Amino acid sequence: MDLSKSYEYFQPEKQKDRIHIIGCGSVGSTVAYMLARTGVTSFTLWDFDTVEPHNLANQMFRQKDIHKPKVDALLDIICEINPEIADTAKLKPDGWNGQQLSGYVFLCVDNIDLRRQIVEMHMDNPYVKAMFDFRTRLEDAQHYAADWSDYKMKKDFLNSMNFSHDEAKEETPVSACNVTLSVCPTVLVICARGVANFMNFWNGKPLKKLILDDAFNFICDAF
């Protein structure tokens, strides 16, 4: 992959740690797509779902991906960007079920209870470098991150998940037909913030622990 446009800013070979993307829907597929363009190659994709027609509105999938397992379709997409990914990628079509993780963990599954479980299980895991979390609504979204060597950041990251999946669903906008609403600009903007946060950390800069973004009112705050 020719990285001449970005290589002076970001060298993907500086670290060999694996990138875990847990949940390959709107956020997960977009994060993988963006990271593939940075030149990183060691992906593990976790998702048990298949691509449905309605996914094309806010996810990276294409018409030809419909009815394919999301992990297979997403691997095809990122390998079209960088064929080298095929040599190191791992697919987990059963989703995450208690496996130990290492490297960088992107929590993109749409279940806060599962995300909390992953964080709790890995609180004392020395092989995790950082975790990244994303929460989207219709126009606004939030990105959380934690350097796993910083105990306070880990605790704050976990404490940000102090609510249930059912409570989260009550705050999720739905249509008159009870379809969850989500639009592409909101997803793209918050994923870009999260990937930029990751790239900064890779380059030795401190993580932003919280980024609040409103894609349609052009408001962004970072802490």
Side-chain angles (χ1 to χ4, degrees):
M1 184 177 180
D2 184 349
L3 296 171
S4 56
K5 282 187 172 292
S6 59
Y7 190 77
E8 286 193 17
Y9 186 80
F10 184 83
Q11 292 85 48
E13 76 280 2
K14 280 174 59 176
Q15 301 186 52
K16 300 299 184 183
D17 296 286
R18 184 155 288 272
I19 308 291
H20 294 272
I21 298 180
I22 303 178
C24 296
S26 59
V27 170
S29 65
T30 305
V31 166
Y33 180 87
M34 291 181 177
L35 288 175
R37 293 195 179 277
T38 71
V40 297
T41 58
S42 295
F43 289 92
T44 301
L45 307 177
W46 306 74
D47 202 302
F48 59 83
D49 207 357
T50 57
V51 180
E52 301 297 337
H54 67 267
N55 295 146
L56 273 59
N58 68 340
Q59 302 181 16
M60 288 291 122
F61 302 110
R62 307 153 299 185
Q63 284 287 340
K64 65 181 182 179
D65 298 321
I66 291 174
H67 303 314
K68 289 183 183 178
K70 285 186 175 180
V71 292
D72 291 334
L74 184 54
L75 180 62
D76 287 345
I77 291 168
I78 60 178
C79 284
E80 287 179 359
I81 297 168
N82 185 0
E84 295 175 20
I85 292 172
D87 297 332
T88 55
K90 297 179 181 179
L91 303 184
K92 301 294 183 179
D94 296 324
W96 184 84
N97 293 289
Q99 296 92 332
Q100 285 285 330
L101 305 172
S102 62
Y104 298 94
V105 180
F106 287 81
L107 301 173
C108 308
V109 65
D110 60 355
N111 186 312
I112 192 67
D113 296 331
L114 180 57
R115 281 181 272 165
R116 189 187 318 107
Q117 181 184 350
I118 294 169
V119 174
E120 289 174 339
M121 180 175 172
H122 290 87
M123 284 296 286
D124 298 316
N125 183 337
Y127 300 106
V128 172
K129 293 291 185 68
M131 285 198 187
F132 304 85
D133 186 30
F134 302 81
R135 303 169 202 175
T136 62
R137 295 198 302 177
L138 185 57
E139 297 180 345
D140 63 300
Q142 305 148 37
H143 164 62
Y144 296 82
D147 176 346
W148 229 241
S149 67
D150 185 321
Y151 183 76
K152 185 177 186 307
M153 283 192 80
K154 288 192 294 187
K155 288 295 291 183
D156 290 344
F157 189 74
L158 178 60
N159 289 337
S160 77
M161 301 177 178
N162 192 24
F163 57 95
S164 70
H165 180 62
D166 288 339
E167 288 172 328
K169 286 179 66 176
E170 291 178 4
E171 296 297 320
T172 303
V174 295
S175 70
C177 299
N178 205 36
V179 175
T180 300
L181 297 176
S182 174
V183 290
C184 186
T186 300
V187 176
L188 290 173
V189 166
I190 201 63
C191 289
R193 302 293 188 196
V195 169
N197 205 17
F198 161 80
M199 292 173 71
N200 276 340
F201 188 67
W202 187 281
N203 283 332
K205 299 177 182 178
L207 281 175
K208 296 294 185 182
K209 61 187 293 186
L210 172 60
I211 299 174
L212 305 174
D213 215 312
D214 188 322
F216 287 84
N217 291 299
F218 309 102
I219 299 170
C220 179
D221 294 302
F223 307 91

